[in-house]
Amino acid sequence: MQALVWEDRFSVGIRQFDQHHKILFEMINSLIFAQEDNSDPDVIKNTMEQLRSYTLFHFVAEEAMLKHFGFEGLDEHIAEHGELLQQVIVYQDRVAANDGVTLDEILDFLAGWLLDHTLGMDQEYGPFLSRYSD
Ligand SMILES: [Fe+2]
């Protein structure tokens, strides 16, 4: 899989969250590079755990700000975040169980989700939050 490259169209217009999203892009790229290098399974597991943990941090920050300013689509947004986190945990369990799941499948899912979410649902809060933030 090709490394993800940040483009302006991914911006949600909120500097803090653009920064978080860029870090998530880089973390997915770390997994892509780990795959290309045929890294040790422990490296893959550690990278996935870092990604899960940073994603959780980012979601909590996003949800807290959306809640603080009374964003209407909050519940739907939280639900989509929750589905992603659950799926990451499922993949982590599958990697731990060595059930034959491929990193290709995991990367397809993660990169697809991140791009869809950043270009889709996250774009909805940009104009709303930009009234309150820089
Ligand atoms: Fe989001």
Side-chain angles (χ1 to χ4, degrees):
M1 171 182 267
Q2 286 214 318
L4 302 178
V5 179
W6 179 266
E7 294 171 31
D8 286 344
R9 69 195 171 105
F10 296 120
S11 173
V12 294
I14 308 293
R15 207 165 26 165
Q16 178 192 356
F17 295 146
D18 281 348
Q19 203 52 45
H20 289 180
H21 289 150
K22 284 176 187 172
I23 291 170
L24 286 172
F25 271 53
E26 288 315 313
M27 293 182 110
I28 289 181
N29 286 342
S30 298
L31 260 185
I32 293 173
F33 301 144
Q35 180 193 39
E36 283 171 358
D37 294 347
N38 266 328
S39 293
D40 191 80
D42 281 344
V43 172
I44 309 273
K45 284 178 194 164
N46 287 340
T47 311
M48 279 189 75
E49 179 52 23
Q50 282 170 14
L51 177 68
R52 188 201 60 78
S53 139
Y54 189 79
T55 302
L56 177 62
F57 156 79
H58 164 59
F59 285 172
V60 167
E62 230 180 48
E63 290 166 13
M65 192 179 288
L66 294 178
K67 186 171 181 195
H68 181 76
F69 290 110
F71 181 64
E72 261 192 7
L74 178 63
D75 289 348
E76 209 186 330
H77 208 118
I78 289 176
E80 201 165 297
H81 284 171
E83 279 168 27
L84 183 271
L85 281 173
Q86 237 171 352
Q87 189 56 48
V88 170
I89 291 167
V90 167
Y91 277 133
Q92 282 184 306
D93 289 346
R94 292 185 63 187
V95 169
N98 207 2
D99 76 346
V101 65
T102 63
L103 204 45
D104 264 335
E105 178 186 339
I106 297 173
L107 282 167
D108 265 354
F109 170 77
L110 289 174
W113 190 93
L114 182 62
L115 296 182
D116 277 0
H117 187 78
T118 313
L119 287 169
M121 203 168 247
D122 281 349
Q123 296 293 328
E124 292 169 20
Y125 70 60
F128 173 80
L129 284 183
S130 61
R131 284 185 271 157
Y132 308 103
S133 179
D134 63 349

